[in-house]
Amino acid sequence: MNIKAAILSVLALLCSLCATAQYQYQIHPVDWKELKTLVKEEPERVRELVRRISTPQRDTTLTYPDQIIAYFGQSLLTNDSEERLVHAMDQAYSEENYAEALAQAEKVLAVNPVNIKALIRAAYAIANMREAGDESHAHEEGQGYYSRAIRLLDTIAATGYGSEEHPFHVTKIADEYLFMGHYLELDAFGSQSLIDCCNVFELGKGNRLYPDSVIYFDATRVLELEAAMFGGGK
């Protein structure tokens, strides 16, 4: 791991260690039926919670149920409408055009402030720019994007244990990989399969943060969005 990656992973490690211990005792599974009713009846409450979870400094008054309403409720508000911009962001990043990747990440976040991939792309784009001598963006700005991403990964962690009985809930396939890589520091994923509504990854072996050999993600929302894309959703 290079210095840039090591710096960016420190916050994830600290949060993961805390979360691993805490969620052995309490989780907050997502009740999609209840959440959809809330989003329909009180959309401004959801938007306010999104604003609070997206502030530069962590709002310590937010509870995990608040964070879950913000992160998962935003998916119901935007319905993946930012994905075209995500593609442009990924393209710029793959071409090592980090200034453009950052600009596209900011466009993604203007549509969906809790898009985890955009937050991490923005953090790494700034780190790469600074590494190349471009100091137009401060190191603290990059860390701010990354800390926001960790808050959201921490929210995913609050929804389950990763077991078949209590899977982690996600809204995007990308978030499964970001959660495993940035939050649990898992660097090797084996076979992946869809069992009922869960994406299941064989890990071979876990690590100190996640010792199990398999991890389950509830992909109910992912499947719902895919069905809507292909005309099978409501």
Side-chain angles (χ1 to χ4, degrees), residues 180-224:
M180 289 188 288
H182 288 266
Y183 198 84
L184 297 180
E185 295 194 345
L186 295 165
D187 56 9
F189 319 129
S191 62
Q192 181 267 332
S193 58
L194 180 66
I195 300 178
D196 295 327
C197 290
C198 284
N199 280 328
V200 184
F201 291 83
E202 297 290 340
L203 304 175
K205 63 178 181 179
N207 61 16
R208 67 193 185 284
L209 301 180
Y210 189 82
D212 293 343
S213 61
V214 64
I215 186 168
Y216 285 76
F217 291 96
D218 186 304
T220 297
R221 180 58 177 161
V222 176
L223 296 173
E224 182 177 71

Side-chain angles (χ1 to χ4, degrees), residues 4-175:
K4 176 186 65 184
I7 290 172
L8 289 173
S9 70
V10 168
L11 185 57
L13 173 60
L14 294 176
C15 290
S16 298
L17 289 171
C18 295
T20 301
Q22 179 175 355
Y23 300 132
Q24 291 174 0
Y25 304 102
Q26 184 179 16
I27 57 174
H28 304 273
V30 180
D31 185 330
W32 284 107
K33 182 178 180 181
E34 181 180 310
L35 187 57
K36 287 177 180 179
T37 299
L38 176 63
V39 169
K40 181 178 181 180
E41 296 179 352
E42 300 182 64
E44 290 308 314
R45 179 187 172 194
V46 178
R47 293 188 180 99
E48 174 60 15
L49 290 172
V50 170
R51 184 196 66 76
R52 289 172 61 191
I53 204 173
S54 302
T55 54
Q57 297 298 320
R58 184 168 193 153
D59 184 341
T60 57
T61 65
L62 280 176
T63 64
Y64 278 113
D66 288 338
Q67 293 181 199
I68 286 167
I69 290 171
Y71 175 65
F72 293 94
Q74 180 67 31
S75 174
L76 295 169
L77 290 173
T78 51
N79 291 307
D80 271 5
S81 58
E82 77 275 17
E83 286 306 302
R84 178 180 58 82
L85 297 168
V86 170
H87 177 74
M89 174 187 71
D90 286 343
Q91 182 67 27
Y93 194 90
S94 69
E95 294 171 354
E96 300 184 4
N97 186 346
Y98 299 118
E100 178 61 18
L102 176 59
Q104 291 296 333
E106 290 171 343
K107 290 180 181 179
V108 172
L109 295 170
V111 177
N112 180 1
V114 294
N115 187 294
I116 298 173
K117 185 183 231 185
L119 290 166
I120 291 177
R121 282 282 195 243
Y124 273 83
I126 289 173
N128 277 292
M129 290 164 67
R130 291 182 59 80
E131 194 172 76
D134 181 349
E135 298 186 358
S136 58
H137 295 272
H139 171 73
E140 291 73 18
E141 183 181 353
Q143 285 284 25
Y145 281 118
Y146 199 73
S147 66
R148 286 166 60 187
I150 293 301
R151 292 175 211 168
L152 300 171
L153 294 175
D154 189 48
T155 301
I156 292 173
T159 64
Y161 298 137
S163 64
E164 182 176 5
E165 297 79 10
H166 301 287
F168 296 118
H169 293 246
V170 294
T171 66
K172 300 176 186 295
I173 294 294
D175 290 352

